[in-house]
Amino acid sequence: MEFAVAVAGIIGALVALVTLGVNVSQYRLQRGAVAAPGRKVESREAHKILDEIDEDPVRAIAADHIFIQSDKSGVGYIVTQPIAVYLDMHTASCVPAKRAVLARSLADFVEEGLGTDLKGVLIATPREGNLLVGSSVAELLGSDFLMIRTGRAPRFGYPIEGTFLPGATAVIADDLCMEGSFLATCVNHLRAYGLNVSDVFCLFERMDGDAREGLAEVGVELHSKYQIDDDELKQLKGVGRLRPAAPAGPLPSQAGGGPARPAGND
């Protein structure tokens, strides 16, 4: 009996050490990733290039949150597809009025795609995505909200946070889509718990990413309200008037981003 207790104690100590090592490495990774978010494009200059966004409030928010780096680099969780021009919707969403505009626009887009009868449909957003906007969309639509974890889940190991029943329909909603493998992982987590997933809705889709192709491989359709065009990215990189980003402020959005053009419900 004493031997069993001793063995259990040793195993517990080893697990604690491994957990501590993982936490320390993740902390170091986050600390090492801290960097200046690049240089901010002047809103007036960006506004001219974003003239195809037909919603003035959304256009104004996007124009005020575009950053450019001199060289491409990974942004947050996007490490396989480095970018140099990105749209910082996380910072924008921290302002209640801006969050309301973005959420209303995305909620309307979901209703356009699926219809107004969304009873029983769940809205899901990745933890690494824009939870502020995603949860607000769910509230506007009267839907329950799920959070998808793609990293290590601290609570009981569950990758899905929220209340649901197997067989229900879940729709992934986020501010921007870029990385196909990341979105496919989100879909697979939802399906592993018996949820039906066939649609992803986003405000902005980066065409230099592979979100659409990656989702198609798992039988999911991507609906993007606005698509980021590579030619428009080049225009923004050529904008002459830039100003330094605020010295103390939030890190850039992990999803990346940039200018956009209307795409409709693909």
mmCIF file of all heavy atoms in Angstrom, residues 32 35 37 73-74 86 91 93 102 123 127 151-152 154-155 159 170 179 184 218 220 228 234 251:
data_model
loop_
_atom_site.group_PDB
_atom_site.id
_atom_site.type_symbol
_atom_site.label_atom_id
_atom_site.label_comp_id
_atom_site.label_asym_id
_atom_site.label_seq_id
_atom_site.Cartn_x
_atom_site.Cartn_y
_atom_site.Cartn_z
ATOM 1 N N GLY A 32 8.249 36.225 -26.187
ATOM 2 C CA GLY A 32 9.125 36.414 -27.339
ATOM 3 C C GLY A 32 8.403 36.966 -28.544
ATOM 4 O O GLY A 32 9.007 37.558 -29.424
ATOM 5 N N ALA A 35 6.009 42.365 -30.021
ATOM 6 C CA ALA A 35 6.745 43.248 -30.925
ATOM 7 C C ALA A 35 5.846 44.408 -31.303
ATOM 8 O O ALA A 35 4.634 44.364 -31.138
ATOM 9 C CB ALA A 35 7.181 42.481 -32.181
ATOM 10 N N PRO A 37 3.522 46.558 -33.467
ATOM 11 C CA PRO A 37 2.588 46.073 -34.482
ATOM 12 C C PRO A 37 2.807 46.664 -35.868
ATOM 13 O O PRO A 37 1.941 46.565 -36.726
ATOM 14 C CB PRO A 37 1.234 46.510 -33.915
ATOM 15 C CG PRO A 37 1.542 47.713 -33.109
ATOM 16 C CD PRO A 37 2.896 47.471 -32.513
ATOM 17 N N SER A 73 5.801 38.559 -41.558
ATOM 18 C CA SER A 73 6.085 37.762 -40.370
ATOM 19 C C SER A 73 4.797 37.132 -39.887
ATOM 20 O O SER A 73 3.702 37.577 -40.236
ATOM 21 C CB SER A 73 6.690 38.638 -39.259
ATOM 22 O OG SER A 73 5.768 39.637 -38.866
ATOM 23 N N GLY A 74 4.936 36.077 -39.086
ATOM 24 C CA GLY A 74 3.763 35.419 -38.536
ATOM 25 C C GLY A 74 3.063 36.326 -37.554
ATOM 26 O O GLY A 74 3.704 37.029 -36.782
ATOM 27 N N TYR A 86 -2.019 43.892 -42.206
ATOM 28 C CA TYR A 86 -3.046 43.201 -41.435
ATOM 29 C C TYR A 86 -4.069 44.176 -40.867
ATOM 30 O O TYR A 86 -3.816 45.369 -40.722
ATOM 31 C CB TYR A 86 -2.433 42.361 -40.310
ATOM 32 C CG TYR A 86 -1.539 43.118 -39.369
ATOM 33 C CD1 TYR A 86 -2.039 43.692 -38.204
ATOM 34 C CD2 TYR A 86 -0.173 43.250 -39.639
ATOM 35 C CE1 TYR A 86 -1.215 44.386 -37.345
ATOM 36 C CE2 TYR A 86 0.655 43.939 -38.777
ATOM 37 C CZ TYR A 86 0.131 44.496 -37.623
ATOM 38 O OH TYR A 86 0.955 45.185 -36.773
ATOM 39 N N THR A 91 -8.394 44.958 -31.566
ATOM 40 C CA THR A 91 -8.346 46.271 -30.919
ATOM 41 C C THR A 91 -9.636 47.039 -31.165
ATOM 42 O O THR A 91 -10.189 47.666 -30.258
ATOM 43 C CB THR A 91 -7.147 47.081 -31.441
ATOM 44 O OG1 THR A 91 -5.944 46.381 -31.117
ATOM 45 C CG2 THR A 91 -7.095 48.463 -30.819
ATOM 46 N N SER A 93 -12.569 45.843 -31.657
ATOM 47 C CA SER A 93 -13.683 45.221 -30.931
ATOM 48 C C SER A 93 -13.670 45.533 -29.449
ATOM 49 O O SER A 93 -14.674 45.327 -28.757
ATOM 50 C CB SER A 93 -13.647 43.698 -31.129
ATOM 51 O OG SER A 93 -13.741 43.376 -32.497
ATOM 52 N N LEU A 102 -19.508 45.862 -35.906
ATOM 53 C CA LEU A 102 -18.970 44.654 -36.540
ATOM 54 C C LEU A 102 -19.881 43.458 -36.307
ATOM 55 O O LEU A 102 -20.137 42.665 -37.222
ATOM 56 C CB LEU A 102 -17.569 44.373 -36.010
ATOM 57 C CG LEU A 102 -16.510 45.436 -36.311
ATOM 58 C CD1 LEU A 102 -15.205 45.115 -35.582
ATOM 59 C CD2 LEU A 102 -16.257 45.544 -37.809
ATOM 60 N N ILE A 123 -23.809 29.353 -32.413
ATOM 61 C CA ILE A 123 -22.732 30.159 -32.996
ATOM 62 C C ILE A 123 -21.443 29.818 -32.260
ATOM 63 O O ILE A 123 -21.381 29.880 -31.023
ATOM 64 C CB ILE A 123 -23.028 31.665 -32.857
ATOM 65 C CG1 ILE A 123 -24.330 32.020 -33.581
ATOM 66 C CG2 ILE A 123 -21.862 32.480 -33.412
ATOM 67 C CD1 ILE A 123 -24.305 31.765 -35.069
ATOM 68 N N ARG A 127 -11.268 30.216 -29.808
ATOM 69 C CA ARG A 127 -10.700 31.010 -28.718
ATOM 70 C C ARG A 127 -9.636 31.964 -29.258
ATOM 71 O O ARG A 127 -9.459 33.070 -28.749
ATOM 72 C CB ARG A 127 -10.086 30.081 -27.672
ATOM 73 C CG ARG A 127 -9.475 30.808 -26.483
ATOM 74 C CD ARG A 127 -8.928 29.807 -25.486
ATOM 75 N NE ARG A 127 -8.381 30.464 -24.311
ATOM 76 C CZ ARG A 127 -7.134 30.899 -24.213
ATOM 77 N NH1 ARG A 127 -6.302 30.753 -25.246
ATOM 78 N NH2 ARG A 127 -6.698 31.475 -23.116
ATOM 79 N N GLY A 151 -5.908 24.775 -28.700
ATOM 80 C CA GLY A 151 -4.697 24.476 -27.955
ATOM 81 C C GLY A 151 -5.016 23.570 -26.782
ATOM 82 O O GLY A 151 -6.009 22.835 -26.773
ATOM 83 N N ARG A 152 -4.189 23.621 -25.744
ATOM 84 C CA ARG A 152 -4.387 22.793 -24.559
ATOM 85 C C ARG A 152 -5.578 23.325 -23.772
ATOM 86 O O ARG A 152 -5.652 24.497 -23.451
ATOM 87 C CB ARG A 152 -3.124 22.835 -23.690
ATOM 88 C CG ARG A 152 -3.133 21.880 -22.512
ATOM 89 C CD ARG A 152 -1.761 21.870 -21.878
ATOM 90 N NE ARG A 152 -1.390 23.203 -21.432
ATOM 91 C CZ ARG A 152 -1.697 23.705 -20.239
ATOM 92 N NH1 ARG A 152 -2.389 22.982 -19.390
ATOM 93 N NH2 ARG A 152 -1.311 24.919 -19.893
ATOM 94 N N PRO A 154 -7.540 23.657 -20.417
ATOM 95 C CA PRO A 154 -7.273 23.483 -18.996
ATOM 96 C C PRO A 154 -8.405 22.837 -18.207
ATOM 97 O O PRO A 154 -8.173 22.191 -17.212
ATOM 98 C CB PRO A 154 -7.023 24.917 -18.514
ATOM 99 C CG PRO A 154 -7.804 25.761 -19.452
ATOM 100 C CD PRO A 154 -7.735 25.063 -20.773
ATOM 101 N N ARG A 155 -9.640 23.019 -18.641
ATOM 102 C CA ARG A 155 -10.779 22.474 -17.903
ATOM 103 C C ARG A 155 -11.187 21.116 -18.436
ATOM 104 O O ARG A 155 -11.834 20.989 -19.457
ATOM 105 C CB ARG A 155 -11.978 23.427 -17.987
ATOM 106 C CG ARG A 155 -11.871 24.642 -17.100
ATOM 107 C CD ARG A 155 -13.197 25.416 -17.067
ATOM 108 N NE ARG A 155 -14.273 24.595 -16.539
ATOM 109 C CZ ARG A 155 -15.332 24.215 -17.247
ATOM 110 N NH1 ARG A 155 -15.461 24.546 -18.499
ATOM 111 N NH2 ARG A 155 -16.271 23.489 -16.694
ATOM 112 N N PRO A 159 -12.333 20.490 -25.626
ATOM 113 C CA PRO A 159 -12.022 21.563 -26.583
ATOM 114 C C PRO A 159 -13.194 22.487 -26.867
ATOM 115 O O PRO A 159 -13.018 23.528 -27.495
ATOM 116 C CB PRO A 159 -11.629 20.793 -27.849
ATOM 117 C CG PRO A 159 -12.411 19.522 -27.756
ATOM 118 C CD PRO A 159 -12.489 19.184 -26.291
ATOM 119 N N ALA A 170 -24.053 23.756 -35.672
ATOM 120 C CA ALA A 170 -23.189 24.862 -35.238
ATOM 121 C C ALA A 170 -22.646 25.585 -36.457
ATOM 122 O O ALA A 170 -22.294 24.963 -37.465
ATOM 123 C CB ALA A 170 -22.043 24.345 -34.376
ATOM 124 N N GLU A 179 -6.395 30.955 -42.425
ATOM 125 C CA GLU A 179 -5.653 29.706 -42.401
ATOM 126 C C GLU A 179 -6.577 28.503 -42.433
ATOM 127 O O GLU A 179 -7.339 28.261 -41.499
ATOM 128 C CB GLU A 179 -4.757 29.666 -41.162
ATOM 129 C CG GLU A 179 -3.760 28.536 -41.183
ATOM 130 C CD GLU A 179 -2.836 28.594 -39.988
ATOM 131 O OE1 GLU A 179 -3.247 29.085 -38.923
ATOM 132 O OE2 GLU A 179 -1.695 28.133 -40.118
ATOM 133 N N ALA A 184 -10.109 24.062 -40.198
ATOM 134 C CA ALA A 184 -10.482 22.650 -40.288
ATOM 135 C C ALA A 184 -10.383 21.986 -38.918
ATOM 136 O O ALA A 184 -11.212 21.129 -38.574
ATOM 137 C CB ALA A 184 -9.579 21.940 -41.290
ATOM 138 N N VAL A 218 -12.875 19.573 -45.761
ATOM 139 C CA VAL A 218 -13.661 18.926 -44.709
ATOM 140 C C VAL A 218 -15.159 19.139 -44.939
ATOM 141 O O VAL A 218 -15.979 18.991 -44.035
ATOM 142 C CB VAL A 218 -13.254 19.440 -43.301
ATOM 143 C CG1 VAL A 218 -11.849 18.990 -42.956
ATOM 144 C CG2 VAL A 218 -13.381 20.954 -43.201
ATOM 145 N N VAL A 220 -16.954 21.918 -45.775
ATOM 146 C CA VAL A 220 -17.568 23.114 -45.195
ATOM 147 C C VAL A 220 -17.440 24.269 -46.178
ATOM 148 O O VAL A 220 -16.397 24.448 -46.817
ATOM 149 C CB VAL A 220 -16.904 23.484 -43.849
ATOM 150 C CG1 VAL A 220 -17.423 24.823 -43.342
ATOM 151 C CG2 VAL A 220 -17.163 22.389 -42.828
ATOM 152 N N ILE A 228 -10.333 40.149 -49.131
ATOM 153 C CA ILE A 228 -9.129 40.966 -49.201
ATOM 154 C C ILE A 228 -8.401 40.622 -50.495
ATOM 155 O O ILE A 228 -7.943 39.512 -50.689
ATOM 156 C CB ILE A 228 -8.223 40.702 -47.998
ATOM 157 C CG1 ILE A 228 -8.965 41.062 -46.709
ATOM 158 C CG2 ILE A 228 -6.920 41.481 -48.096
ATOM 159 C CD1 ILE A 228 -8.263 40.588 -45.481
ATOM 160 N N LYS A 234 -1.299 45.486 -52.197
ATOM 161 C CA LYS A 234 -0.140 46.172 -52.783
ATOM 162 C C LYS A 234 -0.345 47.684 -52.767
ATOM 163 O O LYS A 234 0.592 48.448 -52.539
ATOM 164 C CB LYS A 234 0.075 45.681 -54.212
ATOM 165 C CG LYS A 234 0.536 44.222 -54.297
ATOM 166 C CD LYS A 234 0.638 43.757 -55.740
ATOM 167 C CE LYS A 234 1.035 42.288 -55.810
ATOM 168 N NZ LYS A 234 1.071 41.797 -57.215
ATOM 169 N N LEU A 251 -1.675 43.970 -28.718
ATOM 170 C CA LEU A 251 -0.951 43.353 -29.811
ATOM 171 C C LEU A 251 -1.868 43.227 -31.007
ATOM 172 O O LEU A 251 -3.087 43.221 -30.871
ATOM 173 C CB LEU A 251 -0.449 41.954 -29.402
ATOM 174 C CG LEU A 251 0.647 41.941 -28.347
ATOM 175 C CD1 LEU A 251 0.990 40.509 -27.992
ATOM 176 C CD2 LEU A 251 1.881 42.669 -28.844
#
